[in-house]
Amino acid sequence: MRTTILFGGENRERLVAVASAQALARTLPEAELWFWAPNGQVHAASRDVLLGHQRPFEIDLPTEGPAIGGIELALDMAEREERVLLLSLHGGAAENGELAALCEVRGVAFTGSGSEASRKAFDKVVAKGIVAAVGVNAPGTISLEDAPAALAQYGRLIGKPAADGSSYGLIFVDTPDDLKALAEAAAREAYLVEPFVSGLESTCGVLERDGQVIALPPVEIRPAEGKFDYASKYLAKDTEEICPATFAPEVNALLQDQALKAHQALGCSGYSRTDFIVTANGPIYLETNTLPGMTASSLYPKSLKAQGIGFEDFLRGQIALAVARKAARA
């Protein structure tokens, strides 16, 4: 089958998706490139333009190359031409199950989790309920109406889009003015509000490989200025990401156990990455990403390296899984 990197997208995580595609394209020089532009059209993209694009986390990739059409027309072509899609996409329809469902109904091979798992994981409220049922420690949810009382009780809250990634839209609630900002943000999109959990940030990848599902070494995150938001994650120079994490062995083992449980309870396939806060009482679940970043600075590739797995081997393994899943569905 023809390997095609589908990257970009219409949502605000498209910048990270382009940066991920740069890493994929460098690793798989034979792969063709399809750019899902912000206007919804898919274009056959130029490798030189993609790899020559500077500041991908800040500036949109120029749209060039012949237009294939909208995403459904592109998927129709992928089915006719027997392409396997290596997804370099994050957030929105790419990660909430919509794109996976469009691929599944056409019989298109694609990397990452299926539509049902993607839908469950993308909704942070739904995901928390599912993983809590299998013993993963997740924080409680606070309604917007109860936020003022909760702020008085806990001293600090955190608000985040209920369906988004890349640390976009985080609101740290410390004052009544922050409550006002939270209410304004929640009027634009669904927000999840939780008690702020004090501790060290960590993430743990899970990988399906050679018929086994394994947890990779956890990453310990020491963000710039104490906040692991979009700027700290992708733009700051002094954010530290340590892999393997320097937590006690039993904490690392628990992180791996909890990440595996979340991956399996949500029904993820191929790979995933689950984020935690490590407190004095153990890890607290934040969310599971079914299409985590693959940029040169991303966390999942760091875990692969610590496990001794080459990035190219990982990608080719995921492509093989996608082809096998297509055959099984057929």
Side-chain angles (χ1 to χ4, degrees):
M1 299 184 75
R2 298 166 64 178
T3 298
T4 303
I5 300 170
L6 177 61
F7 70 100
E10 299 177 80
N11 68 83
R12 59 189 175 184
E13 291 192 66
R14 64 184 182 271
L15 300 178
V16 182
V18 169
S20 289
Q22 290 178 324
L24 271 56
R26 289 189 183 100
T27 306
L28 300 177
E30 78 282 4
E32 298 179 58
L33 303 173
W34 281 3
F35 175 44
W36 188 358
N39 65 2
Q41 295 296 296
V42 178
H43 295 256
S46 160
R47 184 173 300 272
D48 288 342
V49 171
L50 173 62
L51 297 183
H53 181 54
Q54 303 297 313
R55 296 168 61 193
F57 297 114
E58 303 167 75
I59 301 172
D60 271 313
L61 180 73
T63 300
E64 48 81 34
I68 296 167
I71 188 63
E72 294 200 41
L73 286 176
L75 296 180
D76 290 341
M77 179 180 288
E79 190 276 327
R80 289 195 306 271
E81 297 179 347
E82 295 189 334
R83 295 174 182 264
V84 53
L85 299 181
L86 178 56
L87 299 186
S88 182
L89 300 163
H90 311 301
E95 201 166 357
N96 67 8
E98 293 178 27
L99 177 67
L102 292 174
C103 289
E104 288 165 354
V105 76
R106 289 167 170 80
V108 173
F110 64 98
T111 57
S113 291
S115 59
E116 184 176 358
S118 299
R119 177 184 56 79
K120 291 175 180 176
F122 196 69
D123 187 319
K124 294 182 178 70
V125 177
V126 170
K128 283 202 306 179
I130 291 171
V131 303
V134 296
V136 176
N137 192 4
T141 299
I142 298 165
S143 69
L144 281 172
E145 294 76 14
D146 293 337
L151 178 59
Q153 177 182 354
Y154 296 107
R156 193 179 202 195
L157 310 177
I158 187 166
K160 49 194 171 182
D164 217 335
S166 292
S167 301
Y168 277 110
L170 289 181
I171 298 175
F172 295 87
V173 181
D174 298 296
T175 68
D177 284 344
D178 296 330
L179 284 171
K180 183 178 178 181
L182 175 64
E184 291 171 351
R188 295 188 295 270
E189 62 181 311
Y191 254 72
L192 170 65
V193 185
E194 298 170 338
F196 179 80
V197 178
S198 181
L200 296 173
E201 303 214 27
S202 182
T203 193
C204 186
V206 172
L207 173 64
E208 183 179 346
R209 188 177 192 236
D210 299 331
Q212 295 182 309
V213 181
I214 63 169
L216 300 173
V219 181
E220 177 183 349
I221 302 162
R222 299 178 183 176
E225 300 181 1
K227 296 180 180 180
F228 199 47
D229 55 11
Y230 184 87
S232 176
K233 183 178 289 187
Y234 297 115
L235 303 177
K237 303 300 183 185
D238 51 351
T239 293
E240 294 184 80
E241 297 163 346
I242 303 163
C243 187
T246 63
F247 304 123
E250 61 271 20
V251 173
N252 281 337
L254 186 54
L255 285 165
Q256 291 177 304
D257 174 73
Q258 299 270 284
L260 269 173
K261 284 181 177 176
H263 178 98
Q264 293 169 332
L266 293 166
C268 298
S269 303
Y271 63 102
S272 71
R273 198 198 75 218
T274 295
D275 301 336
F276 300 91
I277 296 290
V278 177
T279 73
N281 297 317
I284 304 295
Y285 176 88
L286 296 179
E287 64 178 310
T288 296
N289 305 272
T290 54
L291 288 175
M294 293 292 161
T295 76
S297 60
S298 289
L299 302 170
Y300 198 93
K302 288 180 171 64
S303 295
L304 290 171
K305 184 176 180 180
Q307 184 72 20
I309 298 172
F311 193 49
E312 181 179 350
D313 289 344
F314 161 72
L315 294 177
R316 295 198 186 282
Q318 293 303 306
I319 291 167
L321 278 174
V323 173
R325 284 200 302 268
K326 169 186 165 66
R329 286 196 298 268

